[in-house]
C-alpha cells in the first residue's frame, strides 16, 4: 500500500497530466474531432511511466518522489537509453490525450509542459544528481 506521502506524489502530477489536460480540452473553443491514435500514444506513455517507477524502485531502491529518491543512480531499464524517460512518458500521455480529444489548446499546454520539464532538469535535477552520485558525469556523457 502507498504511504500518504507517496500517494500525494502521484496525485499531484496526476492533476497536471490527466485532470488539467482533460479540462483544457473540454473547454477548448477550437477543439476538433479527435484521433483514435491518441489511445495508442497514451498507452505507450503510461507504459513508459510505469516502467520508470519500477526502475526507480527495483534498481534505485527509492521512488520518483523527492522525499524518497533512489539510493543509487538508475542506469538500467529505459534509463540506459535516455536520462529522462519519465518525462518522455508523461509527455506521451499528454500528447495522447491531445490527439484523442482533438485539442489545440492542449497542444499549447504540452509545449509549455515540455519547456517546464526541460528547465527543471537543467536547473534543479542535473545539479542535484551531480552532487549525489559520483558516476553522474560519466552517465551524462554516455546517455542522451
Amino acid at each position: 500500500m502507498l504511504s500518504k506521502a507517496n500517494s500525494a506524489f502521484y496525485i499531484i502530477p496526476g492533476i497536471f497530466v490527466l485532470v488539467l489536460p482533460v479540462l483544457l480540452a473540454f473547454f477548448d473553443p477550437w477543439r476538433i474531432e479527435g484521433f483514435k491514435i491518441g489511445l495508442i500514444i497514451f498507452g505507450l506513455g503510461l507504459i513508459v511511466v510505469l516502467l520508470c517507477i519500477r526502475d526507480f524502485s527495483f534498481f534505485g531502491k527509492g521512488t520518483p518522489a523527492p522525499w524518497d529518491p533512489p539510493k543509487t543512480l538508475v542506469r538500467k531499464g529505459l534509463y540506459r537509453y535516455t536520462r529522462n524517460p519519465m518525462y518522455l512518458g508523461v509527455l506521451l500521455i499528454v500528447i495522447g490525450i491531445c490527439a484523442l480529444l482533438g485539442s489545440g489548446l492542449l497542444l499549447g499546454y504540452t509545449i509549455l509542459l515540455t519547456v517546464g520539464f526541460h528547465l527543471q532538469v537543467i536547473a534543479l535535477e542535473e545539479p542535484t544528481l551531480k552532487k549525489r552520485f559520483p558516476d553522474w558525469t560519466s552517465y551524462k556523457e554516455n546517455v542522451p
Side-chain angles (χ1 to χ4, degrees):
M1 179 173 256
L2 291 174
S3 70
K4 285 183 184 180
N6 283 336
S7 296
F9 175 76
Y10 296 110
I11 290 170
I12 293 168
I15 291 170
F16 291 97
V17 174
L18 296 172
V19 176
L20 187 57
V22 170
L23 286 175
L24 282 172
F26 181 75
F27 290 107
D28 184 351
W30 305 286
R31 192 169 150 202
I32 61 172
E33 185 175 340
F35 305 93
K36 292 180 183 171
I37 189 84
L39 282 174
I40 294 170
I41 298 168
F42 177 90
L44 288 172
L46 185 60
I47 290 168
V48 168
V49 167
L50 293 173
L51 288 172
C52 290
I53 291 169
R54 182 213 56 192
D55 292 344
F56 267 60
S57 175
F58 188 73
F59 300 121
K61 308 297 182 210
T63 71
W67 50 83
D68 185 23
K71 313 299 182 268
T72 61
L73 182 62
V74 179
R75 300 177 83 151
K76 296 183 179 183
L78 296 175
Y79 290 88
R80 290 179 293 185
Y81 307 107
T82 178
R83 295 191 310 262
N84 299 299
M86 177 78 74
Y87 292 123
L88 294 175
V90 167
L91 290 172
L92 284 171
I93 289 171
V94 177
I95 290 167
I97 295 170
C98 178
L100 187 63
L101 300 179
S103 174
L105 188 60
L106 188 49
L107 182 60
Y109 174 77
T110 305
I111 293 167
L112 288 176
L113 197 61
T114 303
V115 170
F117 284 164
H118 178 71
L119 293 175
Q120 163 141 342
V121 166
I122 299 299
L124 299 172
E125 286 188 14
E126 289 190 349
T128 300
L129 291 169
K130 185 177 180 180
K131 290 177 188 173
R132 288 189 62 222
F133 302 113
D135 53 344
W136 166 252
T137 303
S138 168
Y139 174 68
K140 182 179 178 181
E141 290 171 357
N142 292 301
V143 178

